[in-house]
Structure formats: C-alpha cells, structure tokens
Amino acid sequence: MGDALHALDAVDWRALGAVSPDRPATDVPKVLRRIARASSTTRPEAVRRAYGELQDLLLGSAAVGTAALPFVVDLALDPKTVTVLRPDLVDLLTYLTGDGTAGDDATRDGAAGQADSERSAVWWQQWPRMLKLLDDGDPVVRRAALGLISDRTGPLLERWHQETAPSVQVPLLLALGRAAADEDLTKETDAEVRAVLDGLLHGEDPVLRVAAVVASAPLDPQAVSRARPMLLELLTDPVLAPRFGEVWYTVDCELPYERDDVAAWVVELLDPDMTAATSFLAALVDIGSRIGDAELRRCVVDQAWRLLVTRPSAAAAVLPLAAGLLTDPDDDVRYKAAHLLAMLGRAAAPHADRLAALLDDPGESRFFDGTVGDHARWALTRIGDPRALPDLVERLVAPYRDMQGRGYALSDPRQPDVADVLRPLRAHAEVLLPAVREALRDEVSRAGWLVRDLRDVLHAWGENPLLPGELTPYRPPAGPPLPEPAQAAAEVLTYAAEGEWHGTFAAALDALTRHGHLTPPVREALTALRAADRRFSEYGDYRAVLQDERIRARIDRALALPYAAHDPLGAS
C-alpha cells in the first residue's frame, strides 16, 4: 500500500469540494492513511471509527467516491490491511461500483452525463482488480466479494466451479438461484445452473443439499414442496443443527443464519401453499417434542404466529398446533401458544379448560412482557369465558403503574394493550366496572399513561368516562368522517383493485351500510375481498387479527344490504 499512499497526493482533493458542511474532501486521504497504517495492535474502536468516517465521506459524494475508488481497492486487496476491515472495505466497493454504473444510462447528457461517463470509466478500469478479491485467501473476503457479482449468473457460475469453502458456497448458491431467475438466460446457461443445483440435491453435504433447495425456489416454485421429506430430515437432525450457524450466510448479511432461521425460511417459501406450510410446521413440532428440541418448537410457534397474522386460512391448522403446546415444558413456547389461541378468539373455545388451568402460570417469554397466565387470561376473554374476569383489570394495569409507556415493535407476539382486552367486554361491564373506575381514579391521581385507554374503554361500554367532579369534556377517539356514498363506493373499488391498505376503508364500509344499498360492482368487489386470504389491517401484530375481524364484520353487514339496480349518485 506504500506506493498507493504516495499516489493519494496526486489527487486534487481540494478541488472536489466538501462532502458535507463539516467534512471536506481533503479528509479522505487522511482517513485512508489511518486505515492503511492500522494493525492488530490498533484499538478496535479506532479502526471502526476510521471505517465509519470513510464510509460517510465516500458515499456522501459520487465525485469523491470515484476519486477514492482505486485506493479502496488497494486497501481491500492488501493482506496487510487490518483483517477485520477488509470485508467491510469490499462491501464499500460494492456500493461505490454501483454508483459507477450510472454512466451506462444513455439518457444522461451535459455535465451530468460527462461525470457519469467518468465514473463508469474508473469503475471499468478497477473491475479486473476487484475480481481478484474473489480469489482471496480469506473466505470472509471472498464471501463479501460475492456482492460484486451477486446479480450476474455467468460470473457466479464460474466462481462456483472454483469455490471450496462451504461458508462461501452457500451464499454463492443462494445468489445464483436469484440471479438466474431474474436474468434472461440462454438455454445452455439455464441448463448449467439447474444441473449444478440438481447435482447438489443428491450430494453428500447435507447443508448444501438444503441450500440447493432454497436456491432452486426462484427458478422452480415447487422445488421446496417436493423436497419436504428431505428438508424435514435434515432440519431436525440435532447433530447437523450447529453446522448451519457455521456456514449458512447470505450475500447481504454478515451474520450466519442458525438452523431455526433456515427452517423459518423454508416455511416462508412454502407459504403460498398453506397446507404444505402448516403440515411442515406440524411435523417440525412433532419431531421437536419427541427429541426435546425447544429451539425448534420456538421456531414453529413463531412461524405459526407469522402465518396467522397474515393469512386467515392458517387458523384451522394453527388451532390444534397451539393447543398441543399449552403444556410444553418451555416457557417461551407456552407463552406464544397461549398468545396464538387468544388471537384465534372464539375458535379456541374447545380449549378453554386448558387455558383456565394456566391462569397462574408465571412462565415468561425471553423477549416480551407478561406471563403465560396473562395470555391465557386474554384468550379466555376472547372466548367470552367468565373465568377470565376475577382480578382481570388489576392484572392488566399493575405492570404499567410505574411506567411512562410501552416499547415494542409493530410485528411482535407481544402482550395486548389494556384497552384492546377490555373494550370488547361490554357484556361483562357490570362485573368489571368498579375495577375499571378504581384503576382510572388511580391513574388520574398519578397522571398515569393509561388514563386515556381506561376512558376509552368506559366510552366503548356506554359509560361516563369522567370521574365525579371532573369538568373537562371527554373527547372520544376520532375516526375519519363518513364519505358520501359515491366516494365510498369508489374507495371500495380502489381498495379491491390495488390491494393496499387504505385507512378510510372502514369508514367507506360504514357509509355504504348507512346508504342502504350496494351496486353490483361494489357487491362483487366486497364478495371478492371477503374471500381473500389476507388480513385487512395496517398492523403487523395481534391487532392485525382484531382489525381484520372488525373489517370483515363490516363487509358482512354491507353484503347483507339489498341490491341497487343503479346508483343514483353515479358510483359504478
């Protein structure tokens, strides 16, 4: 790297201006020198900081990135560069070379077109040197270098015939399958790709056999279904399980996939065939229970939850699966099994006694709040079982008394919000009302964050949401205004055609119901929506099921309306 460092001075970095108000381009050679001079004795945080600075500088300006490209290639190729940074530098090259291809756009002209042409010229000049990274002695560097060719079937095929490290072979295969499916290949190249994958399906390396199936999926949608027996055998082999975490990488992720991650990937590939996906899960949980593999059973309940949140048709298969895991020895599995039954609502009624037996179960999930007993109690409320009512309000409110809110992602099997549990229980308001009012008094006195939720519950029950002596008017949650019938009909037709969530869809359904008639096109659209195997919701957690239930109830009310031969307001 010595000569390259001297060459840094030949670049007029000052002429390139500033990357940002506080970062001139003249900082680039300084950072490159710091990286080049780093060694195994350099503090790790200093190395990471230097790389972060370099990344910000080069990705912040196409011109600066182009000027620095040859020097980044030098650093990446040099085995003396600090080991932990070489793969990162290769990743940076992938981004920089992506900018370099901008010059291929023939529609660009003028100064911008000239700049793109110059970037493209630099890119092509460095390309042969970058390809040398695919032959590097470090498999981690070779794996990172796959990003340079991950969308090119020809180079991937060529690399496959030379690569021997499984931790590089797996991501190479996965990239090969995607690239081959995306490119318009000649018959010869297509046949060669399929021959490679088919050959591995019967090979001796079990992980590569699984990788070949997954890599084949973009080319052959039935590949995973046909390979289910083999996949089931290999993914449940306890001896083989650790090896996935050693070699199963992808081009776009620096961390390996564990066996359970790969199993989840397989279920997602089976997802379009709900019967195949759920039967695969059932087989996994059966084997996982038989061999005492708690991680495998956790994977199953997580995937069952994912299916249930997105596909109503999963309910029939998820019900017995979740019920069978209510007595699982693993706390996390029982927690999520009870959560699944709660999401299933009244369909879980045959298992009410088993849920009631778990009301005092203190088992917890590794990542979520609440206990198995909390979810069992919620499940009983969804069923309408009065055994859930004693101490329900106190158990819901107590964990959050000293908190200012809850933190959660929008796609987790988490404990439900207090209002989501209580709001549907209007039929039991007489029993629950004293506890709700007491909880509200306590929250008001402490300015707690559940005040609004508890007022909303009282309002939903038709009760006064204010405490005695309170004068500030209560304002109920405001929804979108009801549109005119013609607009409502248009919104329904648009939603049915586009398939993307519209926040005003519920209001449109209410407007049509109030209007009292449906035109044939709207009825046809609603009938198709009602039959669709999808959740009508903006959420990605348990609320997807709750909102979907409410939307489907609205659709049913609308479909019960009489026909209208024509719409006098013009909707069609």
Side-chain angles (χ1 to χ4, degrees):
M1 186 66 188
D3 292 340
L5 287 176
H6 291 304
L8 282 170
D9 297 329
V11 177
D12 188 357
W13 299 101
R14 191 178 302 277
L16 295 175
V19 176
S20 63
D22 59 340
R23 296 307 301 265
T26 51
D27 283 354
V28 173
K30 300 174 186 176
V31 177
L32 286 170
R33 286 190 172 94
R34 281 163 50 199
I35 292 175
R37 291 165 179 164
S39 68
S40 58
T41 62
T42 306
R43 287 180 301 139
E45 57 269 27
V47 172
R48 303 307 307 178
R49 185 167 57 251
Y51 174 73
E53 291 179 25
L54 181 66
Q55 187 179 47
D56 291 342
L57 285 165
L58 302 195
L59 298 182
S61 165
V64 172
T66 300
L69 182 60
F71 306 106
V72 179
V73 174
D74 287 333
L75 283 170
L77 285 170
D78 191 345
K80 295 179 182 178
T81 299
V82 62
T83 304
V84 295
L85 272 192
R86 292 187 68 215
D88 290 332
L89 290 167
V90 177
D91 289 338
L92 182 55
L93 283 175
T94 302
Y95 291 115
L96 293 176
T97 54
D99 285 341
T101 60
D104 294 338
D105 188 348
T107 64
R108 297 176 183 268
D109 54 18
Q114 182 179 353
D116 288 337
S117 179
E118 292 173 357
R119 285 198 292 272
S120 183
V122 172
W123 187 88
W124 285 114
Q125 184 181 24
Q126 297 300 319
W127 180 244
R129 300 178 65 220
M130 286 188 284
L131 288 181
K132 294 179 181 179
L133 292 163
L134 293 164
D135 294 309
D136 193 88
D138 185 348
V140 180
V141 172
R142 297 203 303 277
R143 187 167 63 242
L146 291 176
L148 298 168
I149 59 170
S150 62
D151 59 348
R152 305 181 185 194
T153 305
L156 287 169
L157 265 177
E158 181 181 348
R159 185 65 225 161
W160 170 256
H161 294 300
Q162 302 172 50
E163 186 56 63
T164 58
S167 64
V168 186
Q169 288 176 319
V170 170
L172 199 162
L173 283 175
L174 300 175
L176 179 62
R178 289 195 303 269
D182 292 341
E183 288 189 81
D184 185 14
L185 303 179
T186 65
K187 290 183 178 180
E188 292 77 8
T189 303
D190 181 76
E192 187 178 355
V193 171
R194 293 176 186 273
V196 167
L197 297 175
D198 290 344
L200 290 170
L201 289 174
H202 305 93
E204 297 181 358
D205 189 316
V207 173
L208 289 183
R209 291 171 68 190
V210 177
V213 174
V214 175
S216 298
L219 293 165
D220 179 3
Q222 298 304 313
V224 181
S225 291
R226 287 196 305 272
R228 273 187 297 166
M230 179 190 76
L231 292 170
L232 196 60
E233 175 188 354
L234 298 180
L235 290 172
T236 58
D237 184 342
V239 176
L240 180 61
R243 188 154 179 266
F244 285 93
E246 297 169 357
V247 302
W248 192 287
Y249 288 86
T250 62
V251 172
D252 52 1
C253 184
E254 64 181 21
L255 298 176
Y257 281 53
E258 299 296 334
R259 182 275 313 264
D260 303 327
D261 300 322
V262 178
W265 193 339
V266 169
V267 175
E268 290 182 19
L269 291 173
L270 289 169
D271 190 344
D273 183 347
M274 183 56 64
T275 300
T278 53
S279 65
F280 190 76
L281 285 177
L284 284 178
V285 80
D286 180 61
I287 297 173
S289 299
R290 197 164 61 243
I291 65 177
D293 191 331
E295 287 294 334
L296 195 58
R297 301 195 304 277
R298 291 171 189 163
C299 172
V300 168
V301 288
D302 285 340
Q303 289 307 301
W305 174 83
R306 183 187 62 80
L307 290 174
L308 189 60
V309 165
T310 56
R311 304 276 295 279
S313 65
V318 169
L319 179 61
L321 187 152
L325 292 172
L326 285 177
T327 56
D328 194 273
D330 185 79
D331 288 355
D332 199 68
V333 173
R334 291 198 313 284
Y335 178 102
K336 291 173 182 174
H339 181 90
L340 287 169
L341 290 177
M343 289 169 64
L344 288 163
R346 292 190 179 275
H351 306 288
D353 289 344
R354 301 177 68 189
L355 288 163
L358 296 176
L359 286 174
D360 296 317
D361 189 326
E364 298 178 326
S365 171
R366 294 173 296 173
F367 304 111
F368 307 111
D369 58 355
T371 65
V372 175
D374 292 331
H375 285 277
R377 193 175 301 275
W378 177 39
L380 289 176
T381 70
R382 293 266 292 151
I383 292 169
D385 192 308
R387 286 175 287 186
L389 301 182
D391 299 324
L392 173 62
V393 176
E394 173 62 18
R395 287 177 179 269
L396 289 172
V397 173
Y400 309 117
R401 279 213 174 93
D402 298 322
M403 298 172 58
Q404 296 303 311
R406 293 179 67 189
Y408 53 82
L410 297 181
S411 57
D412 287 333
R414 64 185 180 87
Q415 190 172 350
D417 291 336
V418 172
D420 287 335
V421 177
L422 293 177
R423 196 182 291 112
L425 299 180
R426 183 170 183 170
H428 301 283
E430 185 176 351
V431 174
L432 297 173
L433 195 56
V436 172
R437 290 203 180 280
E438 178 60 31
L440 178 58
R441 276 193 293 270
D442 183 59
E443 286 291 297
V444 169
S445 69
R446 296 182 303 100
W449 67 282
L450 289 177
V451 169
R452 181 72 194 188
D453 282 27
L454 293 169
R455 292 197 197 279
D456 290 347
V457 168
L458 291 171
H459 174 74
W461 289 355
E463 300 287 341
N464 184 358
L466 299 178
L467 296 173
E470 288 186 322
L471 301 177
T472 303
Y474 165 77
R475 292 183 174 82
L482 294 186
E484 293 299 318
Q487 181 185 351
E491 288 188 19
V492 168
L493 294 175
T494 299
Y495 183 38
E498 295 180 353
E500 296 182 2
W501 173 253
H502 286 245
T504 57
F505 183 53
L509 292 172
D510 290 343
L512 290 175
T513 301
R514 178 176 293 185
H515 182 51
H517 298 280
L518 291 184
T519 60
V522 173
R523 183 178 297 277
E524 182 180 346
L526 289 178
T527 301
L529 284 171
R530 188 65 179 81
D533 189 18
R534 51 170 290 200
R535 294 294 185 190
F536 302 123
S537 176
E538 63 195 293
Y539 298 111
D541 55 18
Y542 74 89
R543 292 171 297 178
V545 174
L546 303 190
Q547 188 173 29
D548 181 67
E549 290 174 348
R550 295 192 294 269
I551 292 292
R552 288 180 182 275
R554 283 179 163 92
I555 292 176
D556 289 343
R557 287 195 293 271
L559 288 174
L561 296 172
Y563 281 88
H566 68 283
D567 189 336
L569 295 177
S572 61

